[in-house]
Amino acid sequence: MAAQFMKRILSGNEAVARGCYEAGLHVATAYPGTPSTEILENISQYSEIYSEWSPNEKVAFEVAMGATFEGARALVAMKHVGLNVAADPFMSVSLVGAPGGLVVVSADDPGMHSSQNEQDNRTYAKFAGYPCLEPADSQEAKDFIADALKISVEYDVPVLYRMTTRVCHSKGIVNCQERKEYPVIGFQRDPKKFVVLPAHARVRHQWSTERLDKIRRFAENTSLNRIEPGDPKIGIITHGVTYQYVKEIVPGTSILKLGMTYPLPFNKIRKFFEQVERLFVIEELEPFIEEQVKAAGIECEGKKYWTNLGEMSPDVVMEGLIRAEVISKQKTVVKAEPVIPRPPVFCPGCPHRGVYYVLSKLKTVICTDIGCYTLGVLPPLNAGDTCVEMGASIGVAAGMTKARKIGKGIVATIGDSTFIHSGMTGLLNAVNNRSAITIIIMDNRITAMTGGQYHPGTGKQLNGSETRKVDLAKICKALGAERIKVIDPYDLKQTESVLKEEISLDELSVVITNRPCALYPPENRKQVCEIPFRVNHDLCIGCHACLRVSCPAISESDRLTEKNKTKSQIDTALCTGCSVCAQVCPVGAIQRIENR
Amino acid sequence: MHLYDDLQDNMNQLTNVLIVGVGGQGVLLASELLCDVAFLSGLDVKKSEVHGMAQRGGVVSSHVRFGKKVYSPLIAAGEADLMLSFEQAEAKRWIHYVKTDGWAVINIRKLVPPVAFLKEMNYPENPVEDVRKRHEHVLAVSATEMAQALGNVRTANILLLGVVSRFVELKKENWEQAIRERVPKGTESVNLKAFHTGRSLQL
Ligand SMILES: Cc1ncc(C[n+]2csc(CCOP(=O)(O)OP(=O)(O)O)c2C)c(N)n1
């Protein structure tokens, strides 16, 4: 089909999916996480590839690992911190290998656009002894998948495919090709390889060390690492999207572009070093390349001029080159003027609002977790005291409670997807050790934060087909929780009275909210919408109680009360009619629109 | 010592458009469409934005760059030939990205963030005036009202792209084709009308 060879505008994530299709991938798994989520969403559109959402990254990794053991070409995708969750299989499979091919996509987030840290996962490649490939744009994001699978099969090694937010979410023109088919070889029984008993593992460690030496030799010759000859005054070693910035700021300079950043091609680097007068390494985040180059005895400069914090940009590259006196100051950098911030807020109709509104009034410590509900921490709700990583809320609440004199009163709030991801074992532990905490599972029946993905509690699979829907209350019961309450988070009175009571108890309690997300899946939106509200300005006293529920549909109007206070107004186009604001209005000024 | 004083040469052949606004305003759709037009014109094109908070009322910005060969997906500060802002205060937030001789097209629309009532920081009194004080070439457009007059408020973004089309060298036919392909079925003609209204606006 001619259409298959078309040029298309694709994001890095779409390009990875396309690359998987073209390179004959058989199995793809993931747990969602920005900026990696769209990879699986796009792969799921190719019926040639089996794809699934798994409940967390560890399981996703293990499913992909099983597939490669079976001789299939497999890929698992996750955000950078997801690899921490999957680190156990990631590290140990090094000694086994990846006979069918295995690509591990780690989407790092320099600048922490939507993450809790900015760890540089190239470190993991060195840790495990895997090759690390880093595409620099959408075309490479597609092309390198075939390279990664080839390397993986040839050297029997998982390949770390390191992307960053800027590569994942930028778009560019991509040349597309047809799919190549590969057979699934089938599992070849070999306990000395696939069963890592200590006696086997010792032998395998030797094997994996030799494997890395072979990959080192490959790194010297692969076209993934290319020297772009230019002005010999300076040479720049760079990688990923930083390459693009370098190309623009100093066109015509000598560049060594590393498409494979582990293991490094030291001979090539040495040759490059000899061609230039001054050698720089410009890399995003940690001095991963720089430290290794220096350790190999090759003189270079890098983090001396470029910070290891945050995201690279054309401006950051330029400023470093100015500091290094390679270029002179080009332009007077205009400063941004401070403008009122727009912190993200709960959507209109979000079921999390009611719970956090109530929690903001109860004086208690709230161990929250990662998801849309983390936004409850922001003003004006200010509800939430700790949040570290997915699933932590329950363990942290239990630990605080145990360390306290009065061993009760602490709340853990956790989303449904997060509970399934890594909250269940925390609950089991809290039950087993009799921790008197109140766990609120914010069940909006979707993974909302990352854009609305299904999970085992939604009854749907990645491709939308129906499956068994697990019941969260039943899970909690099976894990040993005895007190389980289900509440309507739109009903503030009920929410408040239930939470007050449960928090006062000397025992563990689980409270589950039962309203769906107002945003996802889109077909639910109508279901969420009821008749919208408006503010009756004859009654409004300008107390701003409604503004404290932090709803984007509510704002101050131009109308003033006698005491010169602004009256509120509701944007009826945004209002979903959830009624939370109407319940907090002390004078009944917020009323449903009649005759609609 | 200073080797690369001619470094802007490569940049000058490119067109840099920054589209900004508030989550939910359609910034991403507008930048997709602009990308399509550049692509249909046979140019290299890259665009970049960070989504995630787009649905939740946060600040949204999208960088679109096109020309013979585009490397960086990001526009450097002070390098945008054109900024299209869907909201007044957002124009103020991003104006430092625009070149001295570049243009700022601003939709006359104010979206006051919910946190404003906390009074920690005020929504600017007159953001467009503030922008004018810093920048010479500013065009303020009442796109919402004009779209309303055309019978469909939702065409405001396309109308603004019509204004944008005056400042960038891309063929009208390619704009029209991209619009026809991108907008919801059945709204093609009203959107094309909106585009032409914007394109023929008296500057
Ligand atoms: C280990 C790890 N994987 C993935 C993510 C990305 N992520 C952030 S929140 C979240 C889940 C949110 O879903 P849920 O708990 O149901 O809360 P909601 O956003 O729906 O309120 C995910 C997957 C992460 N931060 N850490």
Side-chain angles (χ1 to χ4, degrees), chain A residues 463-524:
Chain A
N463 63 8
S465 56
E466 305 276 331
T467 183
R468 177 167 300 193
K469 176 175 169 168
V470 306
D471 183 323
L472 295 186
K474 279 189 189 157
I475 290 184
C476 294
K477 200 159 189 157
L479 291 172
E482 275 165 3
R483 277 187 79 89
I484 299 166
K485 293 267 160 76
V486 177
I487 58 166
D488 177 1
Y490 282 178
D491 183 341
L492 293 185
K493 268 214 184 87
Q494 182 203 39
T495 302
E496 184 166 343
S497 73
V498 169
L499 288 185
K500 268 191 178 149
E501 178 170 359
E502 300 309 297
I503 291 168
S504 73
L505 295 176
D506 277 327
E507 60 177 307
L508 185 140
S509 161
V510 177
V511 178
I512 303 176
T513 68
N514 72 348
R515 285 273 181 179
C517 177
L519 200 56
Y520 302 113
E523 57 269 25
N524 266 16

Side-chain angles (χ1 to χ4, degrees), chain A residues 377-439:
Chain A
V377 172
L378 301 177
L381 292 171
N382 303 310
D385 302 293
T386 69
C387 172
V388 183
E389 30 72 40
M390 278 186 80
S393 57
I394 300 177
V396 171
M400 278 190 164
T401 304
K402 291 294 180 192
R404 267 190 172 190
K405 281 223 175 75
I406 314 162
K408 65 173 184 182
I410 292 179
V411 173
T413 54
I414 185 166
D416 47 340
S417 190
T418 305
F419 179 69
I420 288 170
H421 175 277
S422 49
M424 298 193 314
T425 41
L427 170 57
L428 187 64
N429 173 62
V431 167
N432 185 48
N433 291 306
R434 298 186 182 282
S435 300
I437 55 174
T438 304
I439 300 165

Side-chain angles (χ1 to χ4, degrees), chain A residues 327-339:
Chain A
I327 55 177
S328 57
K329 233 182 166 84
Q330 285 301 311
K331 56 180 183 188
T332 37
V333 179
V334 258
K335 280 252 165 63
E337 255 187 85
V339 175

Side-chain angles (χ1 to χ4, degrees), chain A residues 31-34 57 79 81-83 85 114-116 352 370-374 389-390 414-419 421 442 444-450 453 455 517, chain B residues 56:
Chain A
Y31 177 72
T34 315
E57 292 86 353
K79 72 181 290 165
V81 289
L83 194 51
V85 178
S114 43
S115 307
Q116 70 265 38
H352 300 334
I370 303 198
C372 285
Y373 48 95
T374 319
E389 30 72 40
M390 278 186 80
I414 185 166
D416 47 340
S417 190
T418 305
F419 179 69
H421 175 277
M442 323 273 308
N444 61 355
R445 290 170 229 162
I446 201 82
T447 317
M449 189 65 174
T450 44
Q453 291 74 33
H455 62 67
C517 177
Chain B
R56 294 165 191 88

